[in-house]
Amino acid sequence: AFDDGLTADDGVYVERFTNLEVRGDEELPAAVLAFIDEDEVRAYYDLDDPAGAAEYNSRLLKPLLHDGRRGFDPSETPVEDVREAAEILRTWEATGVDSPQLTRDRATLDLHLGRYPDALAGSKAELEHAGELETYPLARLTAQCEALRKIAICHDLMGNREQALAAYQRGID
């Protein structure tokens, strides 16, 4: 339906994947084969570019670590999701391509793994770089509040109730 809506405009033609064919001895690029065989979307992203790597990996991690249907209690996250997220982060970190999204997602994973001091440090860095995570003012504010909430949770889980309350209050203000 989306393709049909686009093709209704004059001068717009949408090439459907089913219309593509290899001619002669040509082989499909590995990224295209991976997309066909494994539904791998990596071909759409330039993974050598920090922005492309961040968008690709963050999209993979969102349903694993940032699922809005669950609360923020790490015990609510299935163990297999945490394992999969850890593997994605290991692969991402191995590229050497750093980004605010990587810092955010590493801090979230550390929280889920009970590494509260590491999660706290990462969440503080996430808060400092919230403007780089989101471009729209409301989304930037949301990113700041999410970082403050993680900071508060880390303090709470480490027994620093006063610091937790201060982080919660900062988020409210």
Side-chain angles (χ1 to χ4, degrees):
F2 180 74
D3 290 353
D4 294 336
L6 284 175
T7 58
D9 293 336
D10 287 338
V12 175
Y13 177 75
V14 176
E15 183 66 56
R16 288 180 177 79
F17 192 67
T18 55
N19 296 346
L20 297 177
E21 61 184 60
V22 178
R23 298 172 194 248
D25 305 3
E26 293 179 45
E27 288 189 24
L28 290 172
V32 174
L33 290 172
F35 178 76
I36 295 168
D37 294 338
E38 304 161 22
D39 195 24
E40 175 59 65
V41 297
R42 196 174 323 173
Y44 288 106
Y45 300 95
D46 177 2
L47 299 183
D48 293 326
D49 172 53
E55 185 176 349
Y56 170 73
N57 287 293
S58 290
R59 285 180 185 263
L60 293 177
L61 290 165
K62 185 170 183 140
L64 301 172
L65 297 177
H66 307 284
D67 186 350
R69 292 171 294 173
R70 294 191 282 255
F72 209 81
D73 180 353
S75 67
E76 294 179 9
T77 303
V79 172
E80 57 273 7
D81 286 3
V82 174
R83 285 187 184 130
E84 186 176 344
E87 185 56 38
I88 291 166
L89 277 165
R90 263 194 296 279
T91 302
W92 188 1
E93 289 168 334
T95 67
V97 178
D98 197 11
S99 70
Q101 290 88 347
L102 176 58
T103 301
R104 176 198 59 210
D105 293 333
R106 167 52 65 195
T108 303
L109 180 64
D110 286 339
L111 178 59
H112 284 278
L113 291 172
R115 300 177 188 155
Y116 306 131
D118 293 337
L120 178 61
S123 296
K124 286 179 177 179
E126 174 186 347
L127 180 61
E128 287 179 35
H129 298 285
E132 298 169 48
L133 285 165
E134 300 291 347
T135 54
Y136 298 105
L138 185 57
R140 192 174 308 123
L141 183 61
T142 301
Q144 290 168 339
C145 288
E146 288 176 3
L148 284 165
R149 183 173 70 157
K150 280 195 291 193
I151 290 168
I153 290 169
C154 289
H155 278 304
D156 239 348
L157 292 170
M158 293 189 310
N160 305 325
R161 187 70 176 149
E162 292 302 317
Q163 290 174 306
L165 290 171
Y168 282 126
Q169 188 59 51
R170 186 172 169 200
I172 292 168
D173 294 342

